[in-house]
Amino acid sequence: MLSDVTTPQDLDDRFRDRLTALDAADERRDRAEPVGDGALLTGARALDLFDAQVVSRQLDLAGRWLRSFSEGFYTIGSAGHEGNAAVAAALRPTDPALLHYRSGAFYCVRAAQATPPVSEEDAGEGGDAPIDAAGLVGDGPFTPAYAEAARDVLRGMVASSREPIAGGRHKVFGRADLAIVPTTSTIASHLPRAVGLGLAVERLRRLDPAGRRTGNGVRIGGGGGAEHAPWPPDAIVVCSFGDASVNHASATAAFNTAGWSDHAGLRIPVLFVCEDNGLGISVRSPKGWVETALRSRPGIRYFAADGGDLVEAYAVATEAAAWVRRHRRPAVLHLSTVRLMGHAGADAETAYRTTAEIDADLDRDPVVAAAALLARAGVATGAELLARYDEIGWEVRRIAEEVLDEPKLASPAEVVTPLAPRRPVRVGRAVADAAARASGPGAAARAEAFGGKPPELSGPLTLAQSINAALADGMLDHPQMAVFGEDVAVKGGVYGVTKGLRDRFGPARVFDTLLDETSILGLGLGAGLAGMLPVPEIQYLAYLHNAEDQLRGEAATMQFFSSGAFRNPMVVRVAGLAYQEGFGGHFHNDNSVAVLRDVPGLLIAVPARPDDAAAMLRTCLASAAVDGSVCVFLEPIALYHTRDLYADGDNQWLAEYPEPGAWSSGHVPVGRARVYGVGSAEDLTIVTFGNGVRMSLRAAAALAEEGVGTRVVDLRWLAPLPVGDLIREAAATGRVLVVDETRRSGGVGEGVIAALVDAGYVGAARRVAGVDSFVPLGPAAHQVLVSEEAITQGARTLLAR
């Protein structure tokens, strides 16, 4: 038995003693009746919720048992939080849920809700087993749905590759058919996504496939296609977290954005559930603080319930869910809980809690409280409930033994397969299909959107103008694409890059957000999860660092931790890099991209030329739509409005915008470089990107006057690097100068040199990189940034070897 696993609190022994001591009711109650006067819970539903709580408790014991002989890898359990079973029962199985790691009972109930109701013929001998409105069977504690849920959780504990959501990559609560979205263990980082998901659910129910407002059902789609939205139009989002998470910056951002949006008249149907056990590992939440913090949030309705009281928790959760569903506004359910068996298996609570405190929590065991409710109501006796507990325990132990021998992920390929799928042929086909639509059935709409003068007839464009035109074409081709961020709508962006888009496509698809990068990315994460194609803007690269975990911990991990069942495609536009004249300092001239290149699976594009910018943006949008890619489109601010290359007035940094018929032939695949030949192009290879492309071309022209032939390789993609093109062009000359406008330490150049070494390159190589410094204000910036003079001097030094 799993009860043989001892705990510091002897939780199992106490449970048995308490149930044995329960008094039987004077008479049996019909399970179809409420368990008490005015109660919403029937006896049948209360018994099913008790069973779900017991399954969760037995899973916690199983986790300790597995860990006792090094076969289990996760012991953070749900003991004490089993009251969240009532929250699950108050919701619909089609309401998307983002759950924290003490949600075992919620998961079991959701699994039962999503299981088709059992017919009377199949319910048991004689067909007389009671069936409540949720399709839960009251007789037989370990239903097939609970067995399946238990197997899911146990597979996660032992890192089985057959686990249904993460496939052994992480222990998470998640399953696509249960509308449970997996979340990482990063505290509160999933809350901004929940807000974004709520906003997206509401926006999608108001828009038709063309992105227009409608009162009809929701359809989503891209590239001219359409498919049903993943959740019903009246769905609400539920997001759970612990009391300690209330203090996290991500939680503060999410609450603030939800309240701000509500105050602005935007509807966000999110039910936050704070499960308050008073502890963050060993740190206590000050008494009354959580309630004060949650009650004070403007625009968020506050509900509170005792998680140890099934009747109260179910009633209040039902009220809260109904309020959010009816009003389409955010609310928080403050559910008081206890934490039993410590934070995790290695946690010795006696190091920071008194015996009296631990005993007080044990006296509030929610599973004991549910048993007492059922006995008091005449639904079952203590002995009968204990028998159910033991039956479930035996079954959980049996499943635990079965999953022990299931296969684990056994190769790097198995681990990374769902991380960031790349299907370049499909992406190229998507670009070609977009071109066909733009020149065919969508030609009239395109002409109207551009006021009768499409960008290909507007003459050569700057980098900013080319991006603007490509965004407009993207909006036309992807009906659920949305552009949003600080100042992008009414103002058209600080640099005018999104100018006119709001007028063309309306405020539902191009809108300003509050000034908070975490929330901007959270909106994108939720919108992508809901089936939209979000294009959020981060106003400056330096501001991204406030919110980088939303990319690292949430965006990039979604397909990895869901085996591709969920995805959050998006293209994050970031204005960045240095060399702005007359405006700057560090925050407007940030040249650090190391934090982006370190994120597995993230696609990073850096266009330098206007023609590359349009083509690469189309590739990013197609990759997001086809593969669910998370793309960062890093736009060099100093090149936004640059017109000239070699001399004032030469206009050689401008480029014509291609007509749709040329999009396919001009397609830029992910991870392909662009090569410029200057002179004979036989003596030196300069590898660079962004602002370095223009500086290197100017330096190459100067070198050509000295008889040096140079090929300039514009990487264009910083992740994945165009290694094949890089090796080929390096081998062509045997001399490589890496021009890296980021920093010497942690800069892009390190990756380029490493790629050359790994490929066996034996020629000469040298770097010219920015100094390891923040970018100072004014002329001092030139002391730490790469210059044309430094490039030419580096080239001469390399050629002299």
Side-chain angles (χ1 to χ4, degrees):
M1 286 291 292
L2 295 174
S3 58
D4 293 336
V5 181
T6 59
T7 71
Q9 300 85 10
D10 295 321
L11 190 62
D12 179 79
D13 289 341
R14 287 173 179 260
F15 181 82
R16 293 175 180 281
D17 291 343
R18 295 287 294 275
L19 262 63
T20 301
L22 287 177
D23 294 329
D26 293 336
E27 60 181 22
R28 287 281 188 173
R29 184 189 300 262
D30 186 338
R31 291 181 184 176
E33 295 180 0
V35 292
D37 294 340
L40 296 179
L41 274 180
T42 64
R45 174 163 281 199
L47 187 59
D48 282 314
L49 295 185
F50 170 79
D51 289 341
Q53 292 179 316
V54 171
V55 174
S56 179
R57 178 65 57 85
Q58 293 288 2
L59 286 169
D60 289 349
L61 295 176
R64 303 295 178 107
W65 175 69
L66 290 164
R67 188 71 187 93
S68 69
F69 52 94
S70 302
E71 287 290 348
F73 307 102
Y74 198 90
T75 54
I76 296 179
S78 304
H81 284 246
E82 291 93 349
N84 56 39
V87 179
L91 296 163
R92 298 174 184 172
T94 51
D95 291 329
L98 293 81
L99 305 177
H100 73 144
Y101 45 56
R102 301 194 188 278
S103 300
F106 185 110
Y107 187 81
C108 291
V109 172
R110 175 60 67 90
Q113 288 174 320
T115 301
V118 180
S119 68
E120 291 188 6
E121 291 77 11
D122 296 333
E125 289 188 17
D128 57 354
I131 304 171
D132 77 352
L136 305 177
V137 181
D139 283 348
F142 206 59
T143 65
Y146 288 160
E148 185 177 12
R151 191 176 299 276
D152 291 347
V153 175
L154 288 166
R155 280 173 163 165
M157 289 180 182
V158 301
S160 166
S161 61
R162 294 175 182 171
E163 192 270 338
I165 190 69
R169 294 172 184 85
H170 194 44
K171 163 62 176 66
V172 293
F173 289 111
R175 234 175 72 188
D177 62 323
L178 302 184
I180 298 178
V181 180
T183 65
T184 68
S185 295
T186 306
I187 305 303
S189 63
H190 59 299
L191 271 66
R193 180 200 293 277
V195 175
L197 181 55
L199 180 65
V201 165
E202 189 61 16
R203 282 183 176 270
L204 286 170
R205 74 192 291 260
R206 297 167 180 263
L207 301 176
D208 69 6
R212 298 175 298 228
R213 289 193 173 277
T214 178
N216 299 323
V218 186
R219 304 277 286 179
I220 64 171
E227 57 187 71
H228 288 288
W231 300 292
D234 65 344
I236 68 173
V237 179
V238 61
C239 177
S240 63
F241 53 96
D243 54 287
S245 296
V246 168
N247 306 298
H248 198 280
S250 295
T252 299
F255 296 143
N256 184 71
T257 300
W260 182 92
S261 301
D262 186 78
H263 186 79
L266 301 174
R267 293 292 174 250
I268 298 184
V270 176
L271 177 61
F272 297 106
V273 180
C274 178
E275 298 183 19
D276 182 1
N277 63 29
L279 289 164
I281 304 183
S282 66
V283 179
R284 305 167 193 266
S285 293
K287 188 174 179 60
W289 166 248
V290 176
E291 178 180 354
T292 300
L294 295 177
R295 277 188 179 276
S296 64
R297 301 292 180 184
I300 301 178
R301 180 74 175 268
Y302 178 83
F303 296 86
D306 179 0
D309 184 337
L310 268 185
V311 172
E312 178 184 326
Y314 179 70
V316 176
T318 298
E319 180 186 4
W323 188 89
V324 174
R325 199 178 309 278
R326 180 171 63 254
H327 296 286
R328 318 302 295 169
R329 297 175 63 189
V332 60
L333 171 59
H334 184 192
L335 196 68
S336 62
T337 67
V338 293
R339 190 186 71 188
L340 306 178
M341 296 200 295
H343 173 71
D347 181 28
E349 284 191 295
T350 52
Y352 55 88
R353 301 184 76 193
T354 67
T355 300
E357 289 173 329
I358 295 173
D359 286 343
D361 276 0
L362 287 165
D363 289 339
R364 295 174 57 203
D365 185 334
V367 188
V368 172
L373 167 70
L374 291 165
R376 189 169 56 250
V379 176
T381 66
E384 291 169 340
L385 296 172
L386 187 55
R388 298 174 84 89
Y389 175 83
D390 282 337
E391 181 180 342
I392 290 173
W394 279 113
E395 293 291 348
V396 169
R397 169 68 175 264
R398 177 183 59 80
I399 296 174
E401 292 175 343
E402 289 176 357
V403 301
L404 276 175
D405 295 326
E406 290 187 351
K408 310 293 192 291
L409 297 171
S411 70
E414 283 187 90
V415 173
V416 303
T417 291
L419 175 62
R422 298 274 184 259
R423 292 175 288 189
V425 174
R426 293 191 185 185
V427 171
R429 188 183 304 129
V431 172
D433 291 344
R437 287 187 291 270
S439 59
R446 185 170 186 265
E448 180 182 356
F450 285 108
K453 189 177 182 181
E456 58 266 27
L457 300 180
S458 298
L461 304 181
T462 63
L463 181 73
Q465 291 169 333
S466 185
I467 294 171
N468 177 278
L471 285 170
D473 272 323
M475 296 284 280
L476 288 165
D477 192 58
H478 299 276
Q480 298 304 342
M481 176 175 158
V483 173
F484 52 90
E486 302 163 21
D487 303 303
V488 303
V490 178
K491 181 180 175 66
V494 173
Y495 297 95
V497 180
T498 56
K499 184 177 181 180
L501 294 181
R502 182 178 183 271
D503 294 337
R504 292 176 188 171
F505 301 102
R509 299 186 64 197
V510 182
F511 56 92
D512 291 321
T513 66
L514 73 176
L515 196 155
D516 177 55
E517 287 72 27
T518 295
S519 296
I520 291 170
L521 293 177
L523 292 175
L525 288 168
L529 190 63
M532 297 179 66
L533 181 54
V535 184
E537 178 188 289
I538 301 298
Q539 199 165 82
Y540 290 102
L541 177 59
Y543 299 169
L544 175 67
H545 305 307
N546 301 327
E548 60 196 31
D549 184 55
Q550 291 296 298
L551 287 179
R552 176 189 298 276
E554 292 293 320
T557 62
M558 179 51 67
Q559 295 198 84
F560 184 72
F561 287 144
S562 71
S563 302
F566 291 101
R567 61 186 210 168
N568 39 221
M570 63 178 179
V571 179
V572 185
R573 294 182 46 252
V574 184
L577 303 177
Y579 299 98
Q580 287 192 85
E581 296 292 339
F583 181 29
H586 164 64
F587 286 107
H588 301 99
N589 282 286
D590 187 13
N591 63 342
S592 175
V593 299
V595 70
L596 293 173
R597 294 194 65 245
D598 181 55
V599 180
L602 198 67
L603 194 159
I604 308 171
V606 184
R609 294 287 298 260
D611 45 351
D612 278 343
M616 292 169 69
L617 183 54
R618 278 191 288 273
T619 298
C620 286
L621 292 173
S623 184
V626 170
D627 292 329
S629 302
V630 180
C631 312
V632 173
F633 197 74
L634 182 57
E635 302 165 6
I637 298 172
L639 299 178
Y640 269 149
H641 306 299
T642 297
R643 305 177 67 87
D644 306 321
L645 175 55
Y646 299 114
D648 291 346
D650 69 13
N651 288 336
Q652 290 195 43
W653 206 253
L654 303 177
E656 300 285 343
Y657 189 86
E659 62 180 357
W663 291 357
S664 186
S665 60
H667 172 55
V668 177
V670 172
R672 292 303 306 271
R674 179 172 181 173
V675 182
Y676 301 83
V678 181
S680 66
E682 295 178 350
D683 302 310
L684 174 69
T685 299
I686 297 180
V687 178
T688 188
F689 63 95
N691 294 288
V693 178
R694 183 171 180 271
M695 290 189 294
S696 295
L697 287 172
R698 290 166 63 91
L703 291 169
E705 295 179 358
E706 302 173 12
V708 176
T710 305
R711 54 187 65 202
V712 176
V713 179
D714 178 3
L715 294 170
R716 297 196 293 197
W717 306 92
L718 302 189
L721 282 171
V723 175
D725 295 334
L726 171 63
I727 301 305
R728 183 189 65 246
E729 299 303 323
T733 65
R735 298 185 184 91
V736 175
L737 180 66
V738 181
V739 176
D740 179 7
E741 64 176 288
T742 63
R743 301 169 192 167
R744 178 166 291 273
S745 298
V748 176
E750 289 183 341
V752 172
I753 295 296
L756 290 170
V757 172
D758 287 347
Y761 173 73
V762 294
R766 185 180 178 85
R767 277 193 299 161
V768 177
V771 174
D772 288 343
S773 168
F774 300 107
V775 180
L777 189 65
H782 298 297
Q783 303 303 315
V784 299
L785 297 175
V786 172
S787 65
E788 291 176 31
E789 181 181 359
I791 297 172
T792 55
Q793 184 58 46
R796 293 186 184 112
T797 301
L798 187 60
L799 290 164
R801 288 185 179 180

PDB file of all heavy atoms in Angstrom, residues 417-431:
ATOM      1  N   THR A 417      12.670  17.338 -30.503  1.00  0.00           N
ATOM      2  CA  THR A 417      11.772  17.284 -31.669  1.00  0.00           C
ATOM      3  C   THR A 417      10.653  18.328 -31.643  1.00  0.00           C
ATOM      4  O   THR A 417      10.427  19.013 -32.641  1.00  0.00           O
ATOM      5  CB  THR A 417      11.182  15.871 -31.817  1.00  0.00           C
ATOM      6  OG1 THR A 417      12.231  14.972 -32.197  1.00  0.00           O
ATOM      7  CG2 THR A 417      10.093  15.832 -32.870  1.00  0.00           C
ATOM      8  N   PRO A 418       9.915  18.500 -30.539  1.00  0.00           N
ATOM      9  CA  PRO A 418       8.820  19.473 -30.586  1.00  0.00           C
ATOM     10  C   PRO A 418       9.238  20.899 -30.267  1.00  0.00           C
ATOM     11  O   PRO A 418       8.392  21.799 -30.280  1.00  0.00           O
ATOM     12  CB  PRO A 418       7.886  18.957 -29.484  1.00  0.00           C
ATOM     13  CG  PRO A 418       8.801  18.366 -28.475  1.00  0.00           C
ATOM     14  CD  PRO A 418       9.946  17.765 -29.264  1.00  0.00           C
ATOM     15  N   LEU A 419      10.524  21.132 -29.998  1.00  0.00           N
ATOM     16  CA  LEU A 419      10.957  22.435 -29.522  1.00  0.00           C
ATOM     17  C   LEU A 419      10.628  23.555 -30.496  1.00  0.00           C
ATOM     18  O   LEU A 419       9.983  24.551 -30.137  1.00  0.00           O
ATOM     19  CB  LEU A 419      12.460  22.404 -29.240  1.00  0.00           C
ATOM     20  CG  LEU A 419      13.105  23.726 -28.833  1.00  0.00           C
ATOM     21  CD1 LEU A 419      12.509  24.228 -27.538  1.00  0.00           C
ATOM     22  CD2 LEU A 419      14.615  23.547 -28.694  1.00  0.00           C
ATOM     23  N   ALA A 420      11.075  23.420 -31.723  1.00  0.00           N
ATOM     24  CA  ALA A 420      10.855  24.469 -32.725  1.00  0.00           C
ATOM     25  C   ALA A 420      10.869  23.822 -34.095  1.00  0.00           C
ATOM     26  O   ALA A 420      11.882  23.859 -34.799  1.00  0.00           O
ATOM     27  CB  ALA A 420      11.931  25.542 -32.624  1.00  0.00           C
ATOM     28  N   PRO A 421       9.776  23.216 -34.499  1.00  0.00           N
ATOM     29  CA  PRO A 421       9.748  22.546 -35.810  1.00  0.00           C
ATOM     30  C   PRO A 421      10.028  23.521 -36.937  1.00  0.00           C
ATOM     31  O   PRO A 421       9.555  24.656 -36.919  1.00  0.00           O
ATOM     32  CB  PRO A 421       8.321  21.994 -35.882  1.00  0.00           C
ATOM     33  CG  PRO A 421       7.526  22.791 -34.903  1.00  0.00           C
ATOM     34  CD  PRO A 421       8.472  23.160 -33.807  1.00  0.00           C
ATOM     35  N   ARG A 422      10.818  23.090 -37.880  1.00  0.00           N
ATOM     36  CA  ARG A 422      11.148  23.898 -39.046  1.00  0.00           C
ATOM     37  C   ARG A 422      10.759  23.120 -40.296  1.00  0.00           C
ATOM     38  O   ARG A 422      11.308  22.054 -40.566  1.00  0.00           O
ATOM     39  CB  ARG A 422      12.642  24.216 -39.077  1.00  0.00           C
ATOM     40  CG  ARG A 422      13.133  25.032 -37.886  1.00  0.00           C
ATOM     41  CD  ARG A 422      12.966  26.517 -38.108  1.00  0.00           C
ATOM     42  NE  ARG A 422      13.522  27.257 -36.994  1.00  0.00           N
ATOM     43  CZ  ARG A 422      12.815  27.789 -36.001  1.00  0.00           C
ATOM     44  NH1 ARG A 422      11.502  27.655 -36.002  1.00  0.00           N
ATOM     45  NH2 ARG A 422      13.404  28.453 -35.029  1.00  0.00           N
ATOM     46  N   ARG A 423       9.817  23.666 -41.035  1.00  0.00           N
ATOM     47  CA  ARG A 423       9.392  23.037 -42.287  1.00  0.00           C
ATOM     48  C   ARG A 423       9.544  24.058 -43.401  1.00  0.00           C
ATOM     49  O   ARG A 423       8.571  24.707 -43.810  1.00  0.00           O
ATOM     50  CB  ARG A 423       7.958  22.533 -42.151  1.00  0.00           C
ATOM     51  CG  ARG A 423       7.829  21.362 -41.171  1.00  0.00           C
ATOM     52  CD  ARG A 423       6.415  20.933 -40.943  1.00  0.00           C
ATOM     53  NE  ARG A 423       5.683  21.909 -40.146  1.00  0.00           N
ATOM     54  CZ  ARG A 423       4.463  21.714 -39.642  1.00  0.00           C
ATOM     55  NH1 ARG A 423       3.850  20.568 -39.864  1.00  0.00           N
ATOM     56  NH2 ARG A 423       3.863  22.644 -38.933  1.00  0.00           N
ATOM     57  N   PRO A 424      10.776  24.263 -43.876  1.00  0.00           N
ATOM     58  CA  PRO A 424      11.048  25.340 -44.835  1.00  0.00           C
ATOM     59  C   PRO A 424      10.268  25.236 -46.135  1.00  0.00           C
ATOM     60  O   PRO A 424       9.920  26.265 -46.729  1.00  0.00           O
ATOM     61  CB  PRO A 424      12.559  25.228 -45.070  1.00  0.00           C
ATOM     62  CG  PRO A 424      12.922  23.843 -44.637  1.00  0.00           C
ATOM     63  CD  PRO A 424      11.985  23.504 -43.535  1.00  0.00           C
ATOM     64  N   VAL A 425       9.997  24.027 -46.581  1.00  0.00           N
ATOM     65  CA  VAL A 425       9.241  23.882 -47.827  1.00  0.00           C
ATOM     66  C   VAL A 425       7.826  24.411 -47.643  1.00  0.00           C
ATOM     67  O   VAL A 425       7.298  25.138 -48.498  1.00  0.00           O
ATOM     68  CB  VAL A 425       9.225  22.410 -48.279  1.00  0.00           C
ATOM     69  CG1 VAL A 425       8.310  22.233 -49.489  1.00  0.00           C
ATOM     70  CG2 VAL A 425      10.640  21.938 -48.615  1.00  0.00           C
ATOM     71  N   ARG A 426       7.204  24.072 -46.521  1.00  0.00           N
ATOM     72  CA  ARG A 426       5.855  24.561 -46.254  1.00  0.00           C
ATOM     73  C   ARG A 426       5.848  26.071 -46.063  1.00  0.00           C
ATOM     74  O   ARG A 426       4.906  26.759 -46.475  1.00  0.00           O
ATOM     75  CB  ARG A 426       5.279  23.873 -45.026  1.00  0.00           C
ATOM     76  CG  ARG A 426       5.010  22.390 -45.211  1.00  0.00           C
ATOM     77  CD  ARG A 426       4.204  21.833 -44.048  1.00  0.00           C
ATOM     78  NE  ARG A 426       4.029  20.391 -44.156  1.00  0.00           N
ATOM     79  CZ  ARG A 426       3.300  19.667 -43.336  1.00  0.00           C
ATOM     80  NH1 ARG A 426       2.678  20.251 -42.316  1.00  0.00           N
ATOM     81  NH2 ARG A 426       3.175  18.367 -43.495  1.00  0.00           N
ATOM     82  N   VAL A 427       6.888  26.594 -45.397  1.00  0.00           N
ATOM     83  CA  VAL A 427       6.961  28.042 -45.212  1.00  0.00           C
ATOM     84  C   VAL A 427       7.089  28.734 -46.565  1.00  0.00           C
ATOM     85  O   VAL A 427       6.412  29.729 -46.843  1.00  0.00           O
ATOM     86  CB  VAL A 427       8.139  28.404 -44.289  1.00  0.00           C
ATOM     87  CG1 VAL A 427       8.366  29.918 -44.275  1.00  0.00           C
ATOM     88  CG2 VAL A 427       7.872  27.912 -42.871  1.00  0.00           C
ATOM     89  N   GLY A 428       7.945  28.213 -47.421  1.00  0.00           N
ATOM     90  CA  GLY A 428       8.078  28.787 -48.758  1.00  0.00           C
ATOM     91  C   GLY A 428       6.787  28.710 -49.544  1.00  0.00           C
ATOM     92  O   GLY A 428       6.418  29.647 -50.271  1.00  0.00           O
ATOM     93  N   ARG A 429       6.072  27.586 -49.384  1.00  0.00           N
ATOM     94  CA  ARG A 429       4.791  27.452 -50.068  1.00  0.00           C
ATOM     95  C   ARG A 429       3.774  28.453 -49.523  1.00  0.00           C
ATOM     96  O   ARG A 429       2.971  29.015 -50.274  1.00  0.00           O
ATOM     97  CB  ARG A 429       4.268  26.030 -49.908  1.00  0.00           C
ATOM     98  CG  ARG A 429       3.016  25.736 -50.750  1.00  0.00           C
ATOM     99  CD  ARG A 429       2.495  24.332 -50.511  1.00  0.00           C
ATOM    100  NE  ARG A 429       3.549  23.348 -50.764  1.00  0.00           N
ATOM    101  CZ  ARG A 429       3.883  22.396 -49.920  1.00  0.00           C
ATOM    102  NH1 ARG A 429       3.271  22.306 -48.743  1.00  0.00           N
ATOM    103  NH2 ARG A 429       4.828  21.541 -50.231  1.00  0.00           N
ATOM    104  N   ALA A 430       3.824  28.708 -48.228  1.00  0.00           N
ATOM    105  CA  ALA A 430       2.902  29.673 -47.620  1.00  0.00           C
ATOM    106  C   ALA A 430       3.150  31.074 -48.175  1.00  0.00           C
ATOM    107  O   ALA A 430       2.204  31.828 -48.428  1.00  0.00           O
ATOM    108  CB  ALA A 430       3.055  29.662 -46.105  1.00  0.00           C
ATOM    109  N   VAL A 431       4.424  31.425 -48.369  1.00  0.00           N
ATOM    110  CA  VAL A 431       4.741  32.725 -48.973  1.00  0.00           C
ATOM    111  C   VAL A 431       4.221  32.782 -50.405  1.00  0.00           C
ATOM    112  O   VAL A 431       3.641  33.797 -50.836  1.00  0.00           O
ATOM    113  CB  VAL A 431       6.261  32.980 -48.919  1.00  0.00           C
ATOM    114  CG1 VAL A 431       6.620  34.234 -49.724  1.00  0.00           C
ATOM    115  CG2 VAL A 431       6.727  33.126 -47.480  1.00  0.00           C
TER     116      VAL A 431
END
